[in-house]
Amino acid sequence: MGLIVLVVALAGWLTSDIGPIGLTALFALSFLWFLLQAPVPCGAPIRKQGQTCRKNARGLLRGCSIEQHKWQRIRTLAVRPGLRQTRRELFPDRKTGLASLSAIVALMCTLITTTLALLGKGGG
């Protein structure tokens, strides 16, 4: 669903069919969906060195059904300062990579359209 909303928002932005406030809302909804609802593997670190949990999870920030993984997922993305480790966490496979890339695009577009709306610029 979030990917469809992102595509609609991008198409609306490119064709100027949706105003800046509508675009901001669509991009923000898409961003939140990728963070909290996109179906991805859990990815929380497990006891075996260098491996991650492969159970299904919802969203890039939420873990699987194991309670500890719910906090580990957020902690591994927010606390680790290393750029290489963050890249490995966000792009471990195609499915999670697509969700991560889409979330980054949605966040950037949300920031841009919010700025344009506040400045009174933009289509619509």
Side-chain angles (χ1 to χ4, degrees):
M1 179 185 132
L3 193 56
I4 294 170
V5 172
L6 181 62
V7 169
V8 168
L10 287 172
W13 193 6
L14 294 174
T15 62
S16 299
D17 286 342
I18 303 173
I21 295 173
L23 287 172
T24 300
L26 288 173
F27 284 127
L29 284 173
S30 178
F31 178 65
L32 288 174
W33 185 83
F34 286 112
L35 289 182
L36 303 174
Q37 287 297 317
V40 295
C42 174
I46 59 175
R47 290 187 177 153
K48 293 181 182 176
Q49 187 65 20
Q51 293 186 0
T52 59
C53 177
R54 293 180 283 166
K55 291 178 77 174
N56 292 330
R58 301 298 269 167
L60 295 170
L61 293 182
R62 296 168 62 185
C64 63
S65 60
I66 301 172
E67 191 65 33
Q68 188 177 5
H69 288 189
K70 293 177 184 179
W71 292 107
Q72 280 181 334
R73 187 70 180 141
I74 293 173
R75 190 172 49 238
T76 57
L77 292 174
V79 174
R80 294 192 184 190
L83 187 59
R84 286 185 182 159
Q85 183 64 32
T86 302
R87 186 198 61 77
R88 274 183 269 173
E89 295 285 335
L90 290 175
F91 300 98
D93 57 25
R94 290 180 181 157
K95 192 174 190 179
T96 307
L98 176 63
S100 298
L101 181 63
S102 299
I104 292 167
V105 168
L107 176 63
M108 295 305 297
C109 291
T110 301
L111 295 174
I112 291 168
T113 55
T114 300
T115 303
L116 291 176
L118 292 174
L119 295 176
K121 299 178 181 179

